[in-house]
Amino acid sequence: MLLYNLGSILSAMPRNRREEILLAALDVFGERGYTGASIAAVAERVGLSQQGVLHYFPSKDRLLAEVLRLRDERGLDVIALGNSGGTVTLDTISAIIDYNRERRGIVQSFTVLSAESVLDDHPAADFFRDRYRESREWMADLIRAECGPDLPGGVTPEQAAPLLLAVMDGLQQQWLLSPDDVDMPGLFRAFLALLRANVPPPAGD
Amino acid sequence: MLLYNLGSILSAMPRNRREEILLAALDVFGERGYTGASIAAVAERVGLSQQGVLHYFPSKDRLLAEVLRLRDERGLDVIALGNSGGTVTLDTISAIIDYNRERRGIVQSFTVLSAESVLDDHPAADFFRDRYRESREWMADLIRAECGPDLPGGVTPEQAAPLLLAVMDGLQQQWLLSPDDVDMPGLFRAFLALLRANVPPPAGD
DNA sequence: GCCGCGCTACCGAGTGATCGGTAGGTGATG
DNA sequence: CATCACCTACCGATCACTCGGTAGCGCGGC
């Protein structure tokens, strides 16, 4: 579910130490997972001591929270940026996935963190639970607007929405493991083709 | 020691220590992830010392490897169980997902471990990479056998296979976070309906 | 029958490394 | 003189893993 989370934010030069740390932390979380990551590793990446990082963020949990908050704040801009002025469509999302293929680190960070969040008492659980809920609603609206209320096979937009998010997540998972075997953008477009297939409704109507 | 005898009397199925450890490890890995899990936690769950566990499995990596092997065996059992003697179909997979809903711990273990495997140098990376590759081929065959070579929207079975696996994984992710909001089996069947939208339902039976 | 011998199944104690986090300081800037 | 930025030093906990045992069991020899 890497929708808001595009990489363009990260390529920008960090303005201050705080932000520098947040960017490094996102990288490290993506490489080792939240549990496996250490504050010291983040510190090393920005040329600080571990306590230097703790000066800006009082705990590892808070650091994670701020990393996620940063993506939330900035990510919405990116979608607006992706199709300047127009409405978001399924093709916009498709374009985002195209772009994601070149930002493996970011994809991995969010895939890892969201998957890890299902662990017992994980500090990011609420974040991702809310995020999925919002995304499902948003996607259902988007699908209905584009495909109408009736999808092939009698599927509803409310059903298609979690399926679409699942496809995004699942494809990222497979792509991260075998980038050469899995054509993530092509497969996502194939899924869109399933949604948009013109199939005569089974019975009357 | 009398304790051993007592233990085997109390447990319904007197399994050996190795297997006991593997089952406990699967649980612990599912709850804390591989990185976050400790050998000591596994040991405590089976009433051994940490060194007792290391007596059976020389390292944490090896323990993980054996756990995954066990899970694969069990998974095959479930498939065989789901349709005794017959060929595996998409509905068989659907039945497995029904069954999985009542086995949250197992689903979580496997979801967490597979997601974690995309981390750099993760010991389960090869396992899951191979497993996905095999599953994609197997699923493509299965879809072709059931839906023919042409799916709605011009999608091929080779495209539908990774999509189906992605849907399974992604739905598990959402379901684990919000079990009450996500009807995993129903949504999976909705995806199957998308795949079968233009094929007439099989006659007979 | 019982005695030693090797084998399995563990455990207690400890290794060095690393973890997240605290306490208290220093030096530069204002 | 105060505040910020960041440090050294340290803490207790925990990590995977090693070492060196010991207790019980089966087995062969006498």
Side-chain angles (χ1 to χ4, degrees):
Chain A
M1 190 192 51
L2 197 73
L3 279 182
Y4 308 84
N5 332 293
L6 285 176
S8 64
I9 310 136
L10 295 186
S11 54
M13 210 170 71
R15 298 197 186 104
N16 53 33
R17 266 277 135 93
R18 261 185 78 88
E19 192 165 333
E20 206 176 339
I21 293 170
L22 288 174
L23 299 180
L26 183 60
D27 276 354
V28 174
F29 289 159
E31 287 165 20
R32 331 291 290 182
Y34 173 71
T35 309
S38 69
I39 299 178
V42 176
E44 189 186 3
R45 209 159 292 208
V46 292
L48 284 182
S49 71
Q50 180 198 133
Q51 297 70 16
V53 169
L54 284 170
H55 168 69
Y56 291 94
F57 304 93
S59 73
K60 197 185 176 188
D61 274 25
R62 291 283 310 188
L63 176 57
L64 174 62
E66 302 260 15
V67 163
L68 296 174
R69 205 176 55 81
L70 177 76
R71 306 326 312 289
D72 245 11
E73 272 178 15
R74 311 287 201 89
L76 291 169
D77 296 346
V78 174
I79 281 192
L81 200 136
N83 64 331
S84 46
T87 52
V88 176
T89 66
L90 292 178
D91 287 326
T92 312
I93 297 178
S94 203
I96 289 174
I97 291 176
D98 279 339
Y99 183 60
N100 278 347
R101 196 181 37 192
E102 284 146 45
R103 312 289 308 195
R104 190 177 197 277
I106 310 300
V107 172
Q108 180 163 326
S109 295
F110 265 77
T111 299
V112 164
L113 285 175
S114 70
E116 203 176 355
S117 72
V118 310
L119 294 179
D120 299 357
D121 303 322
H122 196 278
D126 286 343
F127 176 87
F128 282 105
R129 191 168 11 242
D130 294 348
R131 174 77 87 119
Y132 274 109
R133 218 175 329 241
E134 288 169 19
S135 297
R136 279 192 293 265
E137 291 175 14
W138 184 47
M139 280 297 157
D141 292 344
L142 207 152
I143 291 168
R144 193 195 332 274
E146 200 157 334
C147 307
D150 297 311
L151 296 156
V155 173
T156 67
E158 281 71 25
Q159 290 175 309
L163 288 177
L164 190 142
L165 295 174
V167 162
M168 292 181 68
D169 284 345
L171 286 181
Q172 279 168 8
Q173 164 80 12
Q174 293 179 55
W175 174 71
L176 285 169
L177 278 171
S178 304
D180 296 335
D181 292 355
V182 178
D183 172 21
M184 181 169 59
L187 289 169
F188 182 75
R189 268 184 269 267
F191 177 73
L192 290 189
L194 281 179
L195 284 187
R196 306 202 258 224
N198 260 349
V199 175
D205 166 67
Chain B
M1 279 291 224
L2 190 67
L3 282 179
Y4 297 164
N5 293 333
L6 191 63
S8 50
I9 287 167
L10 289 179
S11 65
M13 194 188 303
R15 48 177 82 96
N16 59 27
R17 267 276 135 92
R18 266 183 73 89
E19 190 169 343
E20 208 175 335
I21 293 170
L22 287 174
L23 295 178
L26 182 59
D27 277 353
V28 174
F29 288 158
E31 288 164 19
R32 331 290 294 182
Y34 172 73
T35 309
S38 70
I39 298 179
V42 176
E44 191 186 2
R45 209 160 293 207
V46 292
L48 284 183
S49 71
Q50 181 198 133
Q51 298 75 11
V53 170
L54 285 170
H55 167 72
Y56 290 94
F57 304 94
S59 73
K60 197 186 175 187
D61 275 23
R62 291 286 310 180
L63 176 58
L64 172 63
E66 303 257 18
V67 162
L68 294 174
R69 211 174 51 80
L70 177 76
R71 155 73 207 212
D72 245 14
E73 284 171 10
R74 291 294 158 95
L76 292 175
D77 289 350
V78 171
I79 285 184
L81 201 133
N83 66 331
S84 46
T87 53
V88 175
T89 66
L90 291 178
D91 288 324
T92 313
I93 312 272
S94 204
I96 290 174
I97 291 175
D98 281 339
Y99 179 64
N100 277 347
R101 194 182 36 190
E102 285 146 43
R103 313 257 311 182
R104 190 176 197 276
I106 307 294
V107 171
Q108 178 162 327
S109 296
F110 212 59
T111 299
V112 163
L113 285 174
S114 71
E116 204 176 355
S117 72
V118 310
L119 294 178
D120 299 357
D121 303 323
H122 196 277
D126 285 343
F127 175 88
F128 282 105
R129 192 168 12 243
D130 293 349
R131 192 188 137 85
Y132 273 109
R133 214 170 338 237
E134 287 169 20
S135 298
R136 280 192 293 264
E137 291 174 15
W138 183 48
M139 283 296 161
D141 292 345
L142 208 150
I143 291 167
R144 193 195 331 275
E146 201 157 332
C147 308
D150 298 312
L151 296 156
V155 174
T156 67
E158 281 71 25
Q159 291 175 310
L163 288 177
L164 190 143
L165 294 174
V167 163
M168 291 179 68
D169 286 344
L171 286 182
Q172 278 170 8
Q173 164 79 14
Q174 294 180 55
W175 174 71
L176 285 170
L177 277 171
S178 304
D180 295 336
D181 292 356
V182 178
D183 172 21
M184 181 169 61
L187 289 169
F188 182 74
R189 267 183 267 269
F191 177 73
L192 290 188
L194 282 178
L195 285 186
R196 305 202 259 225
N198 64 349
V199 267
D205 178 68

